[in-house]
Amino acid sequence: MKVLVAGGAGFIGSCTSEYLLDNGHEVVVFDSLVKGHRDAVDPRADFVQGDLGDALAIERAMVAHRPEGIIHFAAFIEVGESMVDPGKYFRNNVACGLNLLEAAAHNDVRKIVFSSTAAVYGMPKTIPISEREPTIPVNPYGESKLMFERILRWYHEIHGLQYTALRYFNAAGCSPNFGEDHNPESHLIPIIMQAAEGKRESIKIFGTDYPTPDGTCIRDYVHVLDLAQAHLLALESHEVGAFNLGSGAGHSVRSIIDTVREISGQEFRVDEAARRSGDPPRLISDSAAARATLGWKPKFDDIHEIVESAWRWRCDHPKGYAR
Ligand code: UDP
C-alpha cells in the first residue's frame, strides 16, 4: 500500500514509517519540520516538506503521490503548553487537520489512521481504562484530539472515509535507527535520561503524595515499535472506531527512575517537586479490543527492554538529530 504519513519526521511517525517500509509498503512523509527532523525521515521514503495549515500544499502532495492510506501524526503534544495557549492546539491539531481530511476526501483515500491519546479520558474512574470509559478531557491537548476523532466520524458517514483512532498511553522506547528528540523535552523517560547523561542538573518528580504504593504517578509505557505494528494493522483493517494502545502494566515515576539508573549505570540527582496540574494518579490501558479486533500482538512487555532501547538510541545519537 502507498501511505502518506503526516508528521512522519516525528518520534512515533518516523518509527512507524520505518516499520511500514520494512513490511513492503511505500511511504510519503509530509512534515513541516517545525517539530520533526529531516534526519528522522527514512531514506527509503519520499519526503514533502509542507504544513497542514497550507491546504494547497497537502492537496498537491496528495495529487502527486496518490496514497491509498494516510496516517496522521502531525500535531502539537505538550499538555502544559496547551493549558497556556489553547488556540495553538485547536488551530494546529483540529483546524489544520481538516485540510488533510478535505484532501483525503476528494482524492479517494480509502483509510486514515489517527494518532490519538489516552488524554481523551481526562481523569478516568475505572482502571484499567477501556474504550467504554467516558471521554472528558481535562486539557486542550486531549480535547483537540477528541474533537478530531469526532470529526473523523462525520467524514466516515458523509464521505465514506474509513478511520481508526489509536489512543496511545505513554509511548516509549526507540527503534535502532529512529528515536525521541523533542525540544523542549517534556516526557518522563527522555528527561530522566538527560539527567543520566549530565545534560540536566536533576530530575524533578512531580508529586510524591499520590494514592499509589510509592506516592508517585503510575503510567502505562508502550514500546513505539508495538505502536508501529498497531498502525499497520489498523491501516489494513476495515474496523472503524477508536482503540486503546498500552502494555497493560503500570510503572511509577520512581520505578522508572530506578530502571534508568540501572540501565545507564549513572547516578543523578532526584528532586521531589509539587504535583503537575492535571496529572491523574494512575493511567493503565485495557487494550483487549485492539488485540481482539485488530489482531495487535505487542512484543515488548518488559519495561527494562523498553528503557534499554531508548538508552541505546541516545548512546548512538548523543546529540539527538542535531549534526
Ligand atoms: N513526570 C515527572 N517529572 C518530569 C516529567 C514527568 O515526575 O520531569 C511525571 C508526570 O507528572 C507523569 C509521568 O511522569 O506522572 C509521565 O509524564 P509524561 O509527561 O512523560 O507523560 P503523560 O503521562 O503526562 O502523558
Side-chain angles (χ1 to χ4, degrees):
M1 195 190 291
K2 190 169 201 177
V3 187
L4 184 135
V5 181
F11 169 43
I12 309 174
S14 59
C15 294
T16 301
S17 296
E18 180 187 42
Y19 187 87
L20 294 173
L21 289 156
D22 287 347
N23 282 280
H25 299 278
E26 283 178 70
V27 170
V28 183
V29 168
F30 183 93
D31 198 299
S32 66
L33 302 184
V34 167
K35 293 286 178 182
H37 309 273
R38 182 64 182 86
D39 287 347
V41 178
D42 193 301
R44 296 168 292 174
D46 284 323
F47 176 60
V48 179
Q49 184 170 356
D51 198 304
L52 288 183
D54 181 350
L56 206 56
I58 184 61
E59 175 69 26
R60 279 206 192 107
M62 213 77 90
V63 169
H65 292 279
R66 308 228 62 88
E68 298 150 83
I70 292 175
I71 308 184
H72 176 26
F73 294 101
F76 293 142
I77 59 163
E78 285 169 54
V79 171
E81 184 186 50
S82 81
M83 293 293 283
V84 177
D85 190 357
K88 180 173 175 180
Y89 280 71
F90 293 123
R91 185 173 296 113
N92 192 50
N93 296 5
V94 183
C96 294
L98 278 177
N99 292 328
L100 179 65
L101 291 186
E102 285 295 310
H106 46 82
N107 283 285
D108 304 320
V109 173
R110 186 180 64 76
K111 174 91 195 217
I112 179 163
V113 179
F114 174 56
S115 168
S116 191
T117 170
V120 298
Y121 297 114
M123 296 285 184
K125 293 207 167 51
T126 314
I127 304 289
I129 304 159
S130 79
E131 294 80 358
R132 291 180 299 283
E133 183 71 20
T135 45
I136 312 168
V138 293
N139 51 61
Y141 166 67
E143 187 74 64
S144 71
K145 290 286 184 175
L146 184 60
M147 285 168 82
F148 204 78
E149 284 194 15
R150 291 192 169 140
I151 290 169
L152 282 170
R153 200 195 114 209
W154 291 107
Y155 274 75
H156 172 59
E157 283 203 12
I158 294 163
H159 294 300
L161 179 65
Q162 291 184 24
Y163 75 93
T164 308
L166 298 177
R167 295 174 177 168
Y168 322 145
F169 281 63
N170 292 61
C174 292
S175 104
N177 299 314
F178 301 106
E180 192 167 10
D181 182 3
H182 294 123
N183 185 19
E185 191 49 75
S186 65
H187 289 121
L188 181 66
I189 294 177
I191 285 181
I192 306 173
M193 291 187 173
Q194 288 178 342
E197 290 164 331
K199 289 182 182 159
R200 67 167 67 216
E201 227 171 78
S202 68
I203 160 81
K204 284 192 176 66
I205 302 181
F206 297 145
T208 53
D209 58 350
Y210 283 100
T212 59
D214 70 13
T216 66
C217 286
I218 290 177
R219 293 289 180 273
D220 178 336
Y221 296 88
V222 53
H223 199 293
V224 66
L225 293 179
D226 284 335
L227 294 181
Q229 182 207 129
H231 286 79
L232 178 51
L233 290 166
L235 208 52
E236 290 170 335
S237 136
H238 294 290
E239 289 298 327
V240 165
F243 295 92
N244 290 345
L245 296 179
S247 70
H251 300 280
S252 72
V253 173
R254 278 197 210 280
S255 75
I256 296 289
I257 292 173
D258 290 344
T259 307
V260 174
R261 207 177 250 139
E262 190 186 309
I263 283 164
S264 67
Q266 300 297 318
E267 271 310 316
F268 47 87
R269 207 175 92 201
V270 176
D271 294 331
E272 298 191 355
R275 290 183 178 195
R276 190 172 69 175
S277 75
D279 261 344
R282 192 188 291 260
L283 291 177
I284 298 174
S285 169
D286 172 349
S287 306
R291 289 170 190 261
T293 312
L294 300 178
W296 187 47
K297 291 192 189 76
K299 293 193 173 134
F300 300 88
D301 59 2
D302 179 358
I303 189 68
H304 286 84
E305 221 181 318
I306 294 177
V307 169
E308 204 165 41
S309 72
W311 181 250
R312 215 177 305 128
W313 188 80
R314 296 183 80 90
C315 292
D316 291 345
H317 303 82
K319 293 185 190 161
Y321 285 110
R323 285 169 190 264

